[in-house]
Amino acid sequence: MKTMFLAIASMALGTVLGFLVCGATARRLRRNTHSQRTAPKARDAPKKMGVMDKVLVLEGVILVAYTVAALAVFWHTGGEPSTLTACVFGVCGLENGVMGWIKTNKDKAAEAARTSGSGHQATPEEPPTDRPEPPDVGI
């Protein structure tokens, strides 16, 4: 019985600590990027939640629900469904890896389209118009 209360307390403490660290990091990033805002149009337009973001939220909910269910099974039977746990977390990890790969490739393709595939290009220099003739002209 003490072990179960210790596990619940550890999980709750870890969750609270995680939220505090994330909150502190978010505040710090907001403060640092406040002066680096780009165009007012980008700031004014509400940002839509993309499909990948929705999938990540859904996976988080599923993993938390699975963890609670696995704890309940462990409580009642005394055994953990380790194969099922490995499969659930493996599938979610694979899904997150594939989504990260897709996002990276999308970002690379967008960068290549923006820069014509050859990196950032400097603006071309205009040749000078009031250039004096070299001294050997007309010899």
Side-chain angles (χ1 to χ4, degrees):
M1 191 67 157
K2 283 197 301 188
T3 305
M4 187 63 168
F5 288 127
L6 181 64
I8 290 171
S10 298
M11 186 173 144
L13 182 65
T15 303
V16 169
L17 185 63
F19 277 117
L20 290 175
V21 168
C22 287
T25 304
R27 278 192 300 276
R28 183 178 185 134
L29 287 175
R30 262 190 241 117
R31 192 174 341 129
N32 288 343
T33 59
H34 181 67
S35 62
Q36 300 173 356
R37 299 217 177 175
T38 54
K41 292 179 186 175
R43 185 180 34 176
D44 293 340
K47 208 169 187 182
K48 284 182 141 182
M49 186 177 223
V51 174
M52 286 190 182
D53 294 334
K54 291 177 185 176
V55 169
L56 285 174
V57 169
L58 180 65
E59 280 186 8
V61 169
I62 288 172
L63 288 176
V64 168
Y66 176 79
T67 303
V68 169
L71 282 173
V73 167
F74 180 74
W75 175 268
H76 289 291
T77 64
E80 176 203 358
S82 59
T83 304
L84 182 60
T85 301
C87 289
V88 168
F89 280 90
V91 166
C92 287
L94 177 70
E95 176 69 23
N96 290 336
V98 169
M99 285 193 318
W101 178 72
I102 290 171
K103 180 83 170 171
T104 302
N105 284 344
K106 272 184 169 178
D107 290 347
K108 284 181 184 177
E111 181 69 25
R114 223 179 6 254
T115 61
S116 301
S118 61
H120 293 286
Q121 297 175 351
T123 56
E125 272 189 38
E126 293 290 325
T129 55
D130 55 343
R131 182 173 66 180
E133 292 189 25
D136 60 345
V137 174
I139 296 182

